[in-house]
Amino acid sequence: MDLGISGKVALIAAASKGIGFATAKLLADEGCKVSICGRAESILRSAAEKISPDCHWQVCDVSNLESIEHWIQAAKSELGEPHILITNTGGPPVGPVMEISDEQWQTGIDSTLLNIVRMVRLVAPSMAESGWGRIVHITSLVAREPNDLLPISSTIRSGIEALTKVQSNALAKHGVTVNTVQPGYTLTDRQTHLCSIRAEQNGTSLEQEIEKQANIIPVGRM
């Protein structure tokens, strides 16, 4: 399938593994010039090599504004102005809602919400000026189905839905679309971590908890 995006510059955050990595690989296969970021240099370098020979990468903590600015500027210098932005991040802290500290809430806000505000603010002007842009926020099904183990994520992800609409309304007239994708249960490191927590809580095995999650899905697999 030709999506008509060959040659476009695509920035994918937190793409050293999981859904971010898979997204970056698909965009590279479509002919995009890809830049990825992540926190662990060795994992990020390895991921870039698997994505494409020309994949640009930059160590970046998306909870930090200066770090985001550094990545985006480096990508622009190497590849040109971005046409596509995929915002993505590892999940915020987990635990029962009454046990979550203020510090954990703030960590979640910085890494899951403010990162989106900042990245869009940095790339949208050039997209609007060129008259074309695609921004996609990868969130989670907890945006519409809150999860007791994920109070921070459930709260912030639902708020991102409203933010997306506001951003979309502001940018649509300039040829820039803004959308969210809400992945369901996908067997990433994050999902394995959550299942391990449930296994400890329930006195079960990791494999049993993964199977429980898979059975929720109509096709019976993640």
Side-chain angles (χ1 to χ4, degrees):
M1 180 185 296
D2 182 3
L3 300 179
I5 56 175
S6 181
K8 301 290 188 185
V9 175
L11 276 56
I12 305 95
S16 62
K17 54 188 176 181
I19 292 173
F21 170 80
T23 303
K25 183 69 172 70
L26 286 168
L27 287 171
D29 290 346
E30 282 293 323
C32 288
K33 294 184 284 185
V34 168
S35 176
I36 64 172
C37 76
R39 288 179 295 178
E41 180 175 345
S42 60
I43 299 174
L44 190 61
R45 186 191 299 272
S46 176
E49 291 172 354
K50 294 173 184 175
I51 289 167
S52 78
D54 302 320
C55 180
H56 174 264
W57 60 272
Q58 178 73 43
V59 174
C60 173
D61 177 359
V62 297
S63 68
N64 181 276
L65 173 58
E66 185 176 343
S67 190
I68 293 173
E69 289 174 332
H70 187 54
W71 168 48
I72 291 177
Q73 186 54 53
K76 288 181 179 182
S77 298
E78 183 75 19
L79 306 175
E81 293 292 337
H83 306 98
I84 298 167
L85 171 67
I86 311 295
T87 70
N88 179 49
T89 184
V94 304
V97 66
M98 301 306 294
E99 298 176 12
I100 298 290
S101 68
D102 284 0
E103 290 76 16
Q104 288 175 310
W105 276 104
Q106 190 61 57
T107 295
I109 291 169
D110 290 341
S111 65
T112 312
L113 176 61
L114 276 179
N115 64 316
I116 289 177
V117 173
R118 290 163 171 167
M119 282 188 270
V120 171
R121 190 170 59 209
L122 288 167
V123 305
S126 65
M127 291 180 179
E129 185 176 348
S130 70
W132 195 94
R134 298 292 181 265
I135 298 171
V136 179
H137 305 316
I138 299 178
T139 63
S140 168
L141 62 80
V142 300
R144 64 178 187 275
E145 297 177 13
N147 186 299
D148 290 346
L149 187 60
L150 305 169
I152 300 177
S153 185
S154 298
T155 301
I156 293 174
R157 307 278 194 199
S158 59
I160 290 170
E161 295 300 305
L163 173 63
T164 300
K165 187 64 176 175
V166 172
Q167 291 173 335
S168 178
N169 289 340
L171 295 169
K173 61 187 175 185
H174 301 293
V176 180
T177 63
V178 188
N179 291 281
T180 59
V181 174
Q182 299 175 354
Y185 297 119
T186 306
L187 195 53
T188 60
D189 289 351
R190 169 72 167 178
Q191 193 59 232
T192 300
H193 173 61
L194 294 175
C195 285
S196 68
I197 293 174
R198 294 188 182 99
E200 184 175 353
Q201 290 176 338
N202 299 330
T204 55
S205 68
L206 172 62
E207 292 72 19
Q208 287 174 312
E209 292 301 323
I210 290 175
E211 184 178 1
K212 285 181 186 178
Q213 296 300 100
N215 287 337
I216 294 173
I217 304 168
V219 296
R221 61 175 174 77
M222 288 204 198

